[in-house]
Amino acid sequence: MKQKYFPVYLFFIIFFSCLTLQAQEIAKVRTTKYIFNLNTIKHQEQVDAVSLQTKKIKNVTKCKLDWLNYKMEVTVKEGGDFGSFPMEKLKTILIDNKVALKNFTKKTVPE
């Protein structure tokens, strides 16, 4: 008798699993500005390489590196289909160019 109802139970389990998968919330699309405080910038080549490589990261809309104040501002589209900013890629870029990341702040830019 238990085997007779197994397909019915299986159907309901699969049905409710599909409902929960579709019910996951997708983050709203937003523009975010990251402000990175950097260190050990000594050469113009470092500035150029970090700026150029950061601009190539997917969904980065703006990148401005202020060498004198050791700050870099990166504006990114996030949420929805854009996903989130890949911090690992930026860390790799900084390490490859011998630039140290001290800290960073993140804020949402009103549109």
Side-chain angles (χ1 to χ4, degrees):
M1 179 134 174
K2 290 183 182 180
Q3 292 178 357
K4 188 167 132 180
Y5 293 109
F6 180 74
V8 175
Y9 291 135
L10 185 61
F11 170 77
F12 281 110
I13 290 171
I14 293 172
F15 178 75
F16 287 115
S17 297
C18 290
L19 285 179
T20 58
L21 289 175
Q22 292 176 355
Q24 290 187 2
E25 187 176 331
I26 297 174
K28 287 175 54 177
V29 175
R30 64 193 178 279
T31 302
T32 307
K33 182 185 279 190
Y34 290 88
I35 301 170
F36 299 97
N37 294 308
L38 306 172
N39 204 352
T40 67
I41 301 174
K42 297 178 182 171
H43 306 287
Q44 183 64 43
E45 294 83 24
Q46 289 173 294
V47 174
D48 296 339
V50 169
S51 295
L52 182 66
Q53 292 172 14
T54 303
K55 287 178 185 176
K56 290 182 180 179
I57 295 176
K58 189 175 180 181
N59 303 325
V60 170
T61 58
K62 185 176 167 185
C63 174
K64 178 183 163 196
L65 199 155
D66 182 1
W67 184 10
L68 298 175
N69 294 312
Y70 295 98
K71 285 192 180 196
M72 181 169 69
E73 293 182 5
V74 178
T75 307
V76 182
K77 282 282 195 189
E78 292 185 308
D81 292 334
F82 294 109
S84 60
F85 181 66
M87 194 65 72
E88 299 80 29
K89 285 186 180 182
L90 180 70
K91 288 178 183 178
T92 302
I93 291 168
L94 295 175
I95 290 169
D96 289 347
N97 291 288
K98 297 178 178 67
V99 176
L101 173 63
K102 289 172 48 178
N103 58 39
F104 73 95
T105 57
K106 172 183 173 180
K107 63 181 179 178
T108 303
V109 178
E111 293 185 50

